[in-house]
Amino acid sequence: MIRLISVFFALGLTLAACAPTQTAPTLGSDGKPLPSLYRIKERDTAKLQFRMLDAVNALRGASARNPVEMDPLLNAAAATHARDMSIQNRPWHFGSDGSSPIDRIQRVGFQGTLVGETISETYETELETLGAWMQQPDTQRILLSPDATDMGFAWFQESNGKIWWTLVMGRDGTAPPPQPASF
C-alpha cells in the first residue's frame, strides 16, 4: 500500500512539474506591464499589409474619403526606405543617398504622384503605429487625403525587435479627380 501511494505521489509530482507556470509580467517604472516584443514573421507580410490597408480604409470611410488600393510599386518604395532608415539609424524622409519620397516612387516606376509618406521607428504593432500617426495632424492629413488613390506599406525589423515603418500614399496618374464618398 505504501508503495502504491509512493508511486502516485511521484506521478503527481512529475505531472505538476509539467504544468505550465504563469510568471508575473515585468513591470516598468510606472508600475504598468512592459509590452511584449512584437516579432513579425516573413510569412505575415501580406497579412500585415492588408490589415493596415483595411484599417486605413476604415478611417478614410469614417471621414467620408474614398478607399485606397494597395500598390506593389509603392510597397517596394516603402520597403526600400524602411530598410534604409534602419541603416541610417534615424527616422527621416531622406534616403542615405539623398533621395526623397518622390525620387523613391519614381525609381520603382510608379506613374502617379506622391501624396505623402509617414514613417516611424518603434517597437509597436502596425495598428498601434497607425493610431500614433492619426494623433498627429501632419500624418493624419496624409492618411486621409482625398487625393490618395493608392497606398504602399512596408517595414524593416531589426534583430533587437525595433521596427522601421513606412507608409506611402500616392495618386494614380490615370485616376479621375477626387470626389467625396457617397453613402
Side-chain angles (χ1 to χ4, degrees):
M1 179 74 168
I2 292 179
R3 184 177 281 172
L4 187 58
I5 292 173
S6 297
V7 168
F8 281 120
F9 181 71
L11 182 60
L13 283 176
T14 303
L15 290 175
C18 294
T21 58
Q22 279 196 347
T23 59
T26 306
L27 300 179
S29 60
D30 60 359
K32 295 181 181 177
L34 292 174
S36 59
L37 188 59
Y38 182 60
R39 287 278 178 202
I40 303 172
K41 296 174 181 67
E42 193 172 319
R43 68 176 183 261
D44 292 338
T45 297
K47 181 172 68 172
L48 262 67
Q49 286 176 323
F50 284 102
R51 184 166 41 221
M52 181 62 92
L53 178 67
D54 289 344
V56 167
N57 280 334
L59 292 167
R60 289 177 64 82
S63 298
R65 301 291 190 265
N66 289 324
V68 293
E69 295 181 8
M70 188 67 69
D71 185 281
L73 297 174
L74 294 179
N75 284 343
T80 298
H81 191 56
R83 179 158 180 80
D84 191 44
M85 285 190 299
S86 170
I87 291 167
Q88 296 181 72
N89 197 32
R90 62 179 170 182
W92 75 322
H93 294 283
F94 293 95
S96 56
D97 61 356
S99 63
S100 70
I102 293 171
D103 297 328
R104 288 189 293 277
I105 68 166
Q106 288 174 344
R107 286 179 186 167
V108 297
F110 185 72
Q111 296 298 307
T113 57
L114 176 73
V115 171
E117 177 182 75
T118 62
I119 58 173
S120 181
E121 165 197 16
T122 184
Y123 291 87
E124 295 179 326
T125 69
E126 68 282 357
L127 296 180
E128 290 169 321
T129 301
L130 177 60
W133 285 337
M134 288 300 291
Q135 296 299 314
Q136 299 300 316
D138 56 338
T139 51
Q140 182 186 66
R141 197 170 24 260
I142 292 167
L143 295 166
L144 300 180
S145 172
D147 293 331
T149 59
D150 296 275
M151 181 182 106
F153 177 63
W155 58 90
F156 179 78
Q157 186 167 34
E158 296 179 356
S159 60
N160 67 2
K162 183 190 294 185
I163 307 169
W164 301 85
W165 300 104
T166 304
L167 186 146
V168 180
M169 297 294 260
R171 178 165 185 73
D172 181 350
T174 63
Q179 299 293 320
S182 59
F183 294 93

